[in-house]
Amino acid sequence: MIRKLPVVISLASVVVAPRAMRAQGEAAVAPDSIVVLGLRRVDRKQVLEQSGLSPGRPLGYRDVQRAIQALYGTGQFADVRVAQDTGQGRQLLVIRVHERPILLKWAVRGVDKVSEGSVRDKAQLAEGRPLDPAAVARARGRIDSLYRAQGFYLAQVKVIDVYEDDSARVRVIFDIDEGHRVAVSRVELAGNTHLPTAELVDQMKTRPEGFWWFRSGEYDDEKVREDLQERLPKHYGDRGYVDFQVLDDTLVVNDTTGKATLRVQMSEGEAYRVGTFEIVGNRRFSTEDLQQLYPFKGGDHSGFLGLGGAAQGPVYFNQAHWDDATQGLRTLYYNNGYIYVNIRSEVIRRRGADGQPVVDLRWSINEGQPAIVNKIEIAGNDVTHERVIREAIVLLPGDVFRQDALLHSYQNISNLGFFQQPLPFPDTRPANDQGDIDVIFRVTEKHTGNINFGASVGQGTGVGGFLGLDEPNLFGQGKKGHFQWQFGKNISDFAITYTDPAIRESRISGTLDLHNSRLRYTIADLGTVHRRGGSLQLGFPVFNDRYTRLFVSYGIDEQTFIGGSITTAALTCQNCVRSTLGMSLLRDTRIDLPFPTAGTMHSIGISQSGGPLGGSGDFQRLDLEGRWYAPVGQLGGSTNSAPIKLVMGLSTRSGFVFGYSPFFDQLFTMGGVQYGIPLRGYDEFSITPHGYAPAASNQATAASFGQAYLAMTGEFGVRLSQMFYMSAFIDAGNVWATAGQFDPTRLFRGAGVGMSIISPLGPIGIDLAYGFDRTDAFGNPDPGFKLHFKLGNFF
């Protein structure tokens, strides 16, 4: 059986007036009376009103034709006939009708492989009204098209009418025999002489069925359309075949097996080389600047305003590269205020001197006038002060409108975390006749403050509970308040933090922290530590950059550390005081926190503890961190729901301690996820300055800690929502006894998959990782999997 696109022919009704009237031509007849026969539920008066006929008025055959058409138009009648009759010397006009039955109910049956709801949506019959046979036929055709679109080319739809006793009412049943889904067993391409069939089929989503489950060969009309109208033309266009066309496609189906062959007839045309290139109409940017966007450097492109220079051999035209370059040109203008620019991307075909096909390329630019931001409006902020939102907006009234600044402003407002996600993209509207525009940011407040309590597992203290109060938008001014109390057999931790991002409405931020904690570590017999103290940090903008800040901090702690397996003369503190002055530089452009999907974060920090500041010890600490995120793509999403985002991430952390530190928590240890520097796939404390220690998690020693470390992670992540994230990752890291022994070529490796959830009980993290460089007690390779779990406020 050969299936091609259906052809629908609409037949117009032919209405014929009584023969006697047609014979009389235009002569009119005035009936003495009009008789209506065949009525059961429609009133005679209604028929006469709809027909426009009345006794005693002269009627021609055109009047009768219009009357018949009007009665058919009511939808009440399946048949209408008009005749003349003469009886007892009187002229009678007889209208004989046959009423359509009323549709009581309609149903579908036999639906199994397709959603019944989607089938019913295709039918769309109105119950309680006269049955329209044409509507039933259309419904049947739509159902058939639905099945064909989903690959059920053998499906058959029958219409069954079930009449009531009086035949005035009817029930309609669409009886469906779904048959088998058509499976494409073969794809035949004809007309391809330059590119092999196997390569072209690989570009298509419609592929022949194969041995593996993911090669089912299921036929889908939409995928075929995309293959023939988008994917194949793009593949050819990227190789210079700009005249490529699909001439015909046919699906040949075996009625018995449901197997099908897709036959595609195509015309490749010829591969076009790149000829000359010119830019016309540019005033804002020089030709030399715009030529940097040209994607075909190195070919034959001399000519007026072209690149000139000696040819490097033929360069073949690539449609995708040309489109990307044109979009880059538009973006350049948009980011400089020329939002009304009109760029015509011209591809001019010709024959070269050697008879080969060539395309000359041209950007014809009509720049227009740059748009100026007239005013910026904010709508929907019922709680958050307008000043807080305006601080996040990098556009200012009077500035030249820039698309990148609008996007950054949108991302900054979204990152505040005070509003419902996804945040609507800003609107723009003309402000005046000069082309200036107004920008409107619309937000919807969400509940930000919360009281949380629950259980926690982590930081090497075992199971505990926590009670916390967080408000990231105190008084609607973006100030942050945080109170937390963790409690349990091995933990008593009290902390309160207050952050003001704009002290006295300036660009200076401040954070005050007070804490008092007692921790008895159950992991590796670390002992008990008691800390109490506080810190003050001030942040200042630098480089006139909204994303870069310099932080200066001072903290003082009284610490007592006793007991445990790592207690030595060097790592024992009884009422020790740590006085620390620190400075750090941070640049953070990440978006979609807490699971970023784009942007970077770079941080460098240095601190001095003890020495001239007083207190115990005398050491300096250097911390370096970098995180990079790049979006890969997204799935789904609408105005009411955020899309699933795919992201690639790379992060690296490093730290160094110089001098004498009696505080073991200022040194570095690696392995696991509960204490120290995480390295998944390995036990806690198992990565030491002396190599891998398989028994270290049972009892850590002073030798488990080092003064330098390096940790790196590469990941492919799937951000399902603002609260749910999954990833596949590769970790690598090591610790060294001193900074002088730092060797980034000697790293331990792990890889695995993980899941992170922000729950009402706090963050939850689960990771399954494979440690490649693990060994047994005798030093023999012993790689294996390790499951890591973390619950609570430490994540």
Side-chain angles (χ1 to χ4, degrees):
M1 177 177 63
I2 299 178
R3 298 267 184 172
K4 298 183 72 70
L5 294 178
V7 177
V8 179
I9 302 176
S10 177
L11 297 178
S13 298
V14 179
V15 181
V16 181
R19 183 181 304 172
M21 290 188 175
R22 295 200 310 274
Q24 296 175 20
E26 293 295 336
V29 176
D32 297 311
S33 180
I34 299 177
V35 179
V36 182
L37 302 178
L39 294 178
R40 302 177 64 178
R41 54 181 175 79
V42 181
D43 186 69
R44 176 180 180 275
K45 181 179 179 182
Q46 182 181 351
V47 172
L48 294 179
E49 289 177 351
Q50 292 290 340
S51 67
L53 303 177
S54 59
R57 185 169 66 85
L59 301 175
Y61 77 92
R62 297 185 185 277
D63 298 315
V64 174
Q65 281 187 325
R66 283 193 292 268
I68 294 174
Q69 290 175 334
L71 291 175
Y72 271 120
T74 65
Q76 297 284 352
F77 307 108
D79 186 33
V80 178
R81 299 175 183 273
V82 179
Q84 284 182 300
D85 194 6
T86 302
Q88 300 178 354
R90 302 180 63 193
Q91 291 288 338
L92 300 179
L93 189 66
V94 179
I95 303 176
R96 191 179 301 273
V97 298
H98 179 70
E99 294 178 346
R100 287 177 175 172
I102 297 294
L103 177 62
L104 288 180
K105 288 286 184 181
W106 63 272
V108 295
R109 70 183 183 191
V111 177
D112 180 43
K113 300 172 184 176
V114 176
S115 165
E116 182 173 339
S118 62
V119 175
R120 294 186 64 87
D121 289 342
K122 290 295 182 181
Q124 300 177 348
L125 292 182
E127 296 177 348
R129 300 179 59 183
L131 179 65
D132 184 358
V136 173
R138 289 193 296 269
R140 179 185 178 279
R142 287 193 294 265
I143 294 174
D144 185 66
S145 297
L146 171 66
Y147 273 92
R148 288 194 308 105
Q150 299 196 25
F152 292 92
Y153 267 75
L154 303 179
Q156 296 183 0
V157 183
K158 297 180 181 179
V159 178
I160 301 175
D161 298 331
V162 180
Y163 289 91
E164 298 291 322
D165 293 339
D166 57 0
S167 298
R169 293 173 296 176
V170 66
R171 300 175 187 269
V172 173
I173 300 173
F174 294 96
D175 189 25
I176 303 171
D177 180 6
E178 294 179 320
H180 297 288
R181 186 190 295 268
V182 168
V184 177
S185 61
R186 187 176 181 183
V187 176
E188 295 181 356
L189 305 181
N192 55 311
T193 57
H194 296 94
L195 299 182
T197 296
E199 176 184 336
L200 298 177
V201 173
D202 284 343
Q203 302 301 315
M204 301 171 62
K205 289 293 183 69
T206 306
R207 298 182 185 178
E209 60 183 346
F211 175 77
W212 300 105
W213 75 92
F214 54 83
R215 289 289 300 274
S216 64
E218 291 183 355
Y219 182 86
D220 187 306
D221 268 350
E222 183 62 24
K223 289 182 180 179
V224 172
R225 185 197 65 79
E226 292 175 356
D227 287 337
L228 304 186
Q229 298 182 14
E230 299 175 18
R231 296 187 185 94
L232 287 180
K234 180 182 183 303
H235 188 68
Y236 270 96
D238 292 348
R239 286 151 182 77
Y241 293 90
V242 295
D243 291 332
F244 171 81
Q245 297 181 67
V246 173
L247 302 178
D248 186 42
D249 65 283
T250 305
L251 186 69
V252 182
V253 182
N254 186 308
D255 291 342
T256 304
T257 63
K259 305 297 183 180
T261 300
L262 178 63
R263 295 174 178 170
V264 180
Q265 179 70 39
M266 61 184 67
S267 171
E268 290 180 318
E270 298 179 275
Y272 281 77
R273 294 180 302 171
V274 176
T276 62
F277 170 59
E278 60 179 332
I279 307 170
V280 296
N282 55 305
R283 299 189 304 275
R284 171 62 178 82
F285 301 100
S286 69
T287 299
E288 290 74 18
D289 290 339
L290 297 185
Q291 285 172 352
Q292 300 304 312
L293 299 173
Y294 182 66
F296 304 115
K297 298 180 177 65
D300 290 331
H301 33 255
S302 58
F304 180 68
L305 292 181
L307 294 178
Q312 303 294 323
V315 174
Y316 288 95
F317 179 72
N318 185 306
Q319 185 68 53
H321 292 173
W322 178 243
D323 292 341
D324 290 344
T326 303
Q327 184 57 44
L329 179 64
R330 289 193 180 94
T331 301
L332 177 64
Y333 272 96
Y334 291 163
N335 289 341
N336 285 272
Y338 290 83
I339 62 174
Y340 303 112
V341 66
N342 180 25
I343 299 175
R344 284 190 295 116
S345 168
E346 301 179 19
V347 179
I348 305 167
R349 297 169 173 81
R350 65 177 174 87
R351 289 283 175 178
D354 57 358
Q356 296 300 312
V358 176
V359 291
D360 295 331
L361 304 175
R362 180 189 297 128
W363 281 329
S364 296
I365 305 171
N366 182 5
E367 294 179 338
Q369 295 297 320
I372 304 299
V373 178
N374 180 58
K375 63 180 179 180
I376 297 175
E377 298 180 4
I378 301 172
N381 54 315
D382 302 324
V383 176
T384 306
H385 287 212
E386 188 168 300
R387 177 192 60 79
V388 176
I389 302 175
R390 289 194 179 275
E391 280 291 321
I393 299 174
V394 298
L395 277 174
L396 293 175
D399 284 352
V400 172
F401 177 83
R402 293 179 293 118
Q403 181 175 262
D404 58 345
L406 181 68
L407 180 60
H408 288 161
S409 301
Y410 169 78
Q411 293 171 343
N412 290 346
I413 295 175
S414 182
N415 278 351
L416 290 174
F418 305 155
F419 310 111
Q420 297 286 353
Q421 300 293 328
L423 198 69
F425 199 75
D427 295 329
T428 58
R429 67 177 179 225
N432 50 45
D433 295 337
Q434 285 73 45
D436 300 338
I437 63 172
D438 297 333
V439 180
I440 306 98
F441 292 89
R442 304 185 189 278
V443 298
T444 301
E445 299 275 6
K446 73 175 183 180
H447 178 71
T448 54
N450 64 85
I451 298 176
N452 53 75
F453 59 90
S456 65
V457 178
Q459 212 179 21
T461 57
V463 179
F466 66 87
L467 175 65
L469 172 64
D470 286 287
E471 177 50 75
N473 192 17
L474 276 172
F475 320 118
Q477 298 182 8
K479 305 179 191 297
K480 300 178 182 178
H482 171 74
F483 163 79
Q484 179 178 276
W485 175 38
Q486 296 190 80
F487 50 87
K489 178 180 179 181
N490 304 307
I491 183 171
S492 177
D493 185 8
F494 173 86
I496 185 169
T497 305
Y498 173 76
T499 299
D500 189 342
I503 298 176
R504 299 179 65 86
E505 299 189 4
S506 69
R507 297 193 64 190
I508 299 175
S509 63
T511 299
L512 176 65
D513 171 75
L514 300 173
H515 56 268
N516 187 350
S517 65
R518 176 191 59 82
L519 308 175
R520 185 168 73 87
Y521 293 105
T522 62
I523 185 171
D525 191 22
L526 287 180
T528 301
V529 62
H530 184 200
R531 302 187 191 94
R532 57 182 177 180
S535 65
L536 176 65
Q537 176 181 270
L538 298 176
F540 306 89
V542 295
F543 306 136
N544 197 28
D545 186 350
R546 289 176 175 266
Y547 304 102
T548 306
R549 297 186 74 81
L550 175 67
F551 295 95
V552 178
S553 63
Y554 176 76
I556 186 167
D557 274 334
E558 183 184 57
Q559 179 170 317
T560 296
F561 172 57
I562 57 176
S565 58
I566 68 170
T567 302
T568 64
L571 291 178
T572 299
C573 268
Q574 191 73 29
N575 298 324
C576 296
V577 174
R578 181 162 67 90
S579 178
T580 303
L581 180 65
M583 181 182 301
S584 63
L585 185 66
L586 172 69
R587 175 172 172 79
D588 192 351
T589 63
R590 294 174 297 171
I591 63 173
D592 288 335
L593 298 174
F595 304 121
T597 59
T600 63
M601 190 277 285
H602 302 95
S603 174
I604 178 172
I606 187 170
S607 64
Q608 166 70 44
S609 295
L613 300 176
S616 305
D618 183 5
F619 64 95
Q620 302 79 42
R621 176 166 166 163
L622 174 65
D623 292 283
L624 305 169
E625 184 172 5
R627 298 178 182 267
W628 300 267
Y629 299 92
V632 176
Q634 66 181 39
L635 304 172
S638 65
T639 55
N640 298 318
S641 63
I644 296 174
K645 296 186 177 182
L646 310 179
V647 60
M648 294 290 293
L650 175 65
S651 63
T652 179
R653 298 170 58 195
S654 188
F656 304 89
V657 172
F658 306 93
Y660 165 58
S661 169
F663 307 99
F664 79 97
D665 58 349
Q666 292 299 299
L667 302 177
F668 310 115
T669 184
M670 182 175 288
V673 298
Q674 294 193 47
Y675 185 88
I677 310 302
L679 185 64
R680 291 165 288 190
Y682 297 84
D683 290 317
E684 313 291 330
F685 301 99
S686 61
I687 308 300
T688 75
H690 306 287
Y692 177 72
S697 61
N698 296 323
Q699 180 143 5
T701 66
S704 302
F705 293 79
Q707 290 190 334
Y709 83 92
L710 172 65
M712 297 186 294
T713 296
E715 65 180 330
F716 175 79
V718 180
R719 184 183 185 272
L720 300 174
S721 71
Q722 197 174 18
M723 314 297 286
F724 192 13
Y725 181 78
M726 300 177 66
S727 66
F729 58 83
I730 299 176
D731 288 346
N734 203 354
V735 292
W736 294 271
T738 64
Q741 297 176 356
F742 182 83
D743 181 5
T745 65
R746 195 173 134 254
L747 302 177
F748 292 88
R749 302 160 299 158
V753 295
M755 177 180 68
S756 304
I757 302 174
I758 306 298
S759 74
L761 298 180
I764 298 175
I766 301 176
D767 297 290
L768 179 63
Y770 186 84
F772 293 96
D773 301 307
R774 291 164 49 173
T775 59
D776 59 20
F778 302 100
N780 299 316
D782 186 26
F785 284 97
K786 177 72 176 177
L787 181 66
H788 303 281
F789 177 76
K790 211 164 189 182
L791 165 66
N793 286 19
F794 301 102
F795 180 67

